[in-house]
Amino acid sequence: MPTRNIVKEGDSCLRKVCRPVTDFNDRLHTLLDDMHETLAEANGAGLAAPQVGVLRRLALVMLEDGSYLEIINPEIVEKSGTQNDVEGCLSVPGVWGMVERPMNVTVSAQDRFGKPFTVSAEGFTARAFCHEIDHLDGHLFTDLVTEYIDPEELE
Ligand code: CO
């Protein structure tokens, strides 16, 4: 599985509204496999298709056990509470900032074969779902930052 290049802020791919996935075929599976490899190598909490230049509605999100969940055509169907914490993005390297997100989310999505499922998450994982789904609508976390954090303060 080859890794793919992660595009950086300034690339127009990151500002497009992505189209739904309609074909759950080998090409999709190859993309997902490549994204797993890319994300594992980058050691990130999530990766959305537009970050590898593909304008389709799919992403990977790290779950609490450290595995990556594939979400195709995801939608947040429920959210509650708020949390305010530090966020970053593989497409905006070296930048960290405070972002308010829901504390709990429920997401409906499809798996790589098109089978629908729902998943609930809280805390850091809920934040990761929101961040990745935002990517599919051309939104970056920097749009929401209330305060930038000096990376040295995070050490
Ligand atoms: Co990101």
Side-chain angles (χ1 to χ4, degrees):
M1 292 188 288
T3 60
R4 301 208 182 188
N5 184 45
I6 298 176
V7 303
K8 302 301 189 296
E9 189 175 26
D11 189 303
S12 63
C13 285
L14 296 174
R15 292 303 188 177
K16 299 276 170 60
V17 175
C18 297
R19 291 187 294 158
V21 173
T22 53
D23 297 325
F24 295 82
N25 54 17
D26 285 350
R27 201 172 157 186
L28 172 69
H29 297 174
T30 299
L31 170 63
L32 286 162
D33 291 345
D34 289 353
M35 286 174 64
H36 276 282
E37 188 85 2
T38 305
L39 184 52
E41 188 180 273
N43 198 25
L47 185 68
Q51 292 183 275
V52 294
V54 177
L55 299 178
R56 291 287 180 172
R57 303 189 75 82
L58 65 102
L60 304 182
V61 172
M62 185 188 275
L63 300 180
E64 281 169 21
D65 65 2
S67 67
Y68 294 123
L69 179 69
E70 300 172 352
I71 50 172
I72 322 289
N73 299 325
E75 285 186 40
I76 296 172
V77 292
E78 262 185 66
K79 55 185 174 183
S80 63
T82 57
Q83 55 169 322
N84 203 17
D85 212 336
V86 179
E87 208 162 302
C89 179
L90 293 173
S91 292
V92 195
V95 175
W96 304 90
M98 301 297 291
V99 177
E100 187 177 296
R101 298 285 192 185
M103 181 58 85
N104 298 277
V105 296
T106 300
V107 173
S108 73
Q110 288 165 279
D111 71 10
R112 61 164 62 200
F113 303 103
K115 188 175 174 224
F117 66 94
T118 63
V119 56
S120 294
E122 65 176 345
F124 180 82
T125 309
R127 170 176 299 282
F129 275 106
C130 294
H131 178 116
E132 298 314 323
I133 293 170
D134 267 0
H135 271 300
L136 307 181
D137 290 313
H139 302 312
L140 294 177
F141 85 103
T142 46
D143 302 344
L144 302 173
V145 167
T146 53
E147 183 192 354
Y148 285 96
I149 305 293
D150 182 343
E152 287 182 9
E153 286 176 29
L154 296 175
E155 298 300 321

